[in-house]
Amino acid sequence: MPQTTGNDWLATYRALHARHGPQHWWPGDTPFEVMVGAVLTQNTAWSNVAKAIANLKAARALRCGAMLKLGDAELAELIRPAGYFNVKAKRLKHLCAFLRAEGAMGRPERLRERAPLPELRQRLLAVHGIGEETADSILLYALGLPSFVVDAYTRRIFGRLGLLRGGESYGEVQAAFEAALPRDVALYNEYHALIVQLGKATCRPRPRCGECPLGGVCRAAR
Ligand code: SF4
């Protein structure tokens, strides 16, 4: 990890927030809807996820109990717009089975009471089809727990800024953020959302550095 101070990571947040303002993440009316969105958004754009969630709502299937009663093919058809629908249907069923086993089927937010954050994270990672990014998205955005979400945008932007070398593990990147930032759920929530916004609109594969609020401190831009 390159030599940095906590201020580098916090200053980046402040610059992004000053430019883009609050992002109001994560879209979803209930913790379960957020969890479902975290699974469905794997390898696809949010616009496709929104269509799949609308289908689930229209079929009254956006509840854990209702989803478990659906056949795999029926569920796959409802979430077809999200892509990889057969695989994701199985993943959603595994997530629902996990919630049922934890006694949190009706109120998934009860997961918070089941174990301390590190253990809860391990339990989520043991669910088939839930990797680190999905687990942290569930912990942060569905359950309101301080687990920083790392994604491909994070790696690209912070590599270009010079705060990451490239090649760090997911855990190393997450630890770098969490060591540098106050342990604040609202901050983690907003920071990841701002990173996604920058990665989509500005720090693209061909970066638009002239429009970027980080241009003055970015190693790649220099
Ligand atoms: S200045 Fe350019 S390379 Fe650096 S973060 Fe912004 S868009 Fe990305």
Side-chain angles (χ1 to χ4, degrees):
M1 203 75 64
Q3 204 64 31
T4 61
T5 70
N7 287 343
D8 295 325
W9 306 77
L10 205 49
T12 300
Y13 169 76
R14 289 185 177 132
L16 292 176
H17 194 268
R19 171 67 64 90
H20 295 293
Q23 300 295 299
H24 307 293
W25 271 36
W26 177 297
D29 296 334
T30 64
F32 184 65
E33 184 176 332
V34 175
M35 291 180 185
V36 169
V39 171
L40 292 179
T41 200
Q42 295 168 346
N43 302 306
T44 196
W46 184 259
S47 55
N48 298 326
V49 176
K51 289 176 196 157
I53 286 182
N55 287 349
L56 290 169
K57 281 184 175 168
R60 297 181 182 276
L62 201 49
R63 286 176 293 114
C64 188
M67 197 171 274
L68 277 169
K69 284 182 189 154
L70 291 176
D72 285 0
E74 204 178 351
L75 178 55
E77 194 52 40
L78 288 171
I79 63 167
R80 178 181 280 268
Y84 305 98
F85 43 91
N86 287 318
V87 172
K88 289 181 181 177
K90 287 196 172 64
R91 290 178 179 174
L92 288 177
K93 285 289 189 75
H94 286 299
L95 174 64
C96 290
F98 166 72
L99 292 172
R100 181 172 58 191
E102 293 284 345
M105 195 165 77
R107 292 183 54 207
E109 61 274 24
R110 281 199 174 142
L111 278 182
R112 291 170 56 104
E113 304 154 14
R114 296 296 182 260
L117 171 54
E119 190 185 329
L120 193 52
R121 188 173 189 271
Q122 287 309 313
R123 289 191 201 177
L124 277 167
L125 289 172
V127 178
H128 181 78
I130 295 193
E132 293 192 282
E133 185 184 337
T134 306
D136 289 324
S137 297
I138 288 172
L139 290 165
L140 180 60
Y141 291 105
L143 301 178
L145 294 170
S147 205
F148 201 88
V149 180
V150 175
D151 67 355
Y153 293 128
T154 314
R155 291 178 181 281
R156 181 162 78 207
I157 293 165
F158 286 79
R160 287 173 172 173
L161 287 172
L163 294 176
L164 294 175
R165 278 205 187 94
E168 291 94 342
S169 69
Y170 185 103
E172 286 170 335
V173 177
Q174 184 183 53
F177 276 92
E178 293 188 357
L181 300 172
R183 195 173 157 83
D184 180 335
V185 170
L187 174 70
Y188 287 12
N189 175 323
E190 201 64 69
Y191 205 163
H192 176 64
L194 287 163
I195 287 168
V196 173
Q197 163 66 26
L198 189 80
K200 278 185 178 166
T202 311
C203 196
R204 297 158 63 95
R206 289 185 103 184
R208 299 171 175 173
C209 301
E211 306 166 10
C212 181
L214 308 177
V217 296
C218 179
R219 191 178 61 181
R222 283 200 296 272

